Amino acid sequence: MYKQTLFWIALFCCGFTMAQTTENYTPTPQNLKARQWFQEAKFGLFIHWGPFSIPGNGEWVMNNRNITVKNYTRLMDFFNPIAFDANAWVKMAKKAGMQYITLITRHHDGFSMWNTRQSDFNIMNTPYHQDIVKMMADACHEQGMPLFFYYSLLDWRRDDYSWSTGRTGKGTGRTKQEDWNHYIQFMKNQLTELLTQYGPVAGIWFDGYWDQLKNDTNKNQRPAVDWHLNEIYCLIHTLQPACLIGNNHHMQPLPGEDFQMFEKDLPGGNTSGFGGASVSHLPLETCETINDSWGFNLADTNYKSTAQLVHYLVRAAGFGANFLLNIGPMPNGAVQPEFQERLAYMGQWLQTYGSSIYGTQGGYLRPQNWGAITQTNGKLFVHILSDSVTTLQLPQFPFNKIKKVYALKSGQPVLAQLQNNVLLLTDIQQQQDEPDRVFVVEGE
């Protein structure tokens, strides 16, 4: 009865204050506090997992192979992840130095990883028959790990989704008439379940908005459908005011969103083809894979080195952004050793250098070819990522006076000179097997 009451209160509030939630969204104090925490967290774990892992060809296998709805639904009959251990996953993330987890609850294939009443295509109708989202939520709450829910706006399986106007999912065999209002209500019902049955939710991570756009290059275009985001966002903020909303639409944040995300690119970059959107003043996050795939891919062995991952984390922090690093567990629920090894290394590195990442702001200079800068009150951290650098000039230096400069790891002093607002670091020693030489500048 309590959950039902919450739902009707949310619907009433959203209907009554719709004008405010679109153009004049005002975040609550709880939401602002959550934004501050998020901005300082800097490192999170992304988990792409579901029945799409069974073919071993990534999470887009239904679309890429034009698997029909009828045939794809059969994956549900043998998704049985007996090696899944929610507590072990959360411990792994904490050991890696990660401050939050973003879990796939429903991807573009439409499979729900929880005990939903809105669709039969869900985890309870598999041989496993256990609520994955509940198990992860319980483990996260027990271990003090904030949990975000990834939720796909796009659906390659449902008939009521506007598949005729979408860019993807054309080969799944749907022929029935779409019912967009029914689909919107379906999403509202599912989000209400997620936000009323699993305790505090740190955020909702939306994806799939781009399916109803003609391309990813025009950052001002309108989608082919009305996503009813004002109603959806209002519902979320009413049910859980501290819950942060982000949307991977590859554009500037829309009203009601609480952080801006970048897919496989640093803020402002566009190496992936998804980027190019201007950077907002909201908290920032960039997501990336360890190999080249989000979901489990048997053939993908192009793993990024530990140095590459450290560099990505550092450069993201240099922009003031979080780094959401992805794993794609295997169908049985085990995390492949190549992922585990890299996460363990990140945790070891952060034990030494975490003070230069957590709680910092982006540097007064944007990341450069030589490296990046992060800073806090009275301290500036210089991350030298290029092995060839032995002398470094930092123009327009923000401190008027330098107290001391030293290597973060050893505490050894570093020769430095501040003159005409230029800081000169000289005789910078190379450090073997170190992906990042971090120097601390204390001043005022």
Side-chain angles (χ1 to χ4, degrees), residues 49-80:
W49 188 50
F52 54 69
S53 62
I54 295 171
N57 194 29
E59 76 292 348
W60 272 58
V61 62
M62 185 182 188
N63 176 82
N64 293 346
R65 292 187 178 178
N66 290 320
I67 303 174
T68 64
V69 171
K70 177 181 177 181
N71 290 339
Y72 192 86
T73 302
R74 290 171 179 158
L75 289 178
M76 182 172 63
D77 296 333
F78 49 99
F79 185 51
N80 190 22

Side-chain angles (χ1 to χ4, degrees), residues 90 208 344 353 363 366:
V90 178
Y353 296 105
R366 291 167 61 90

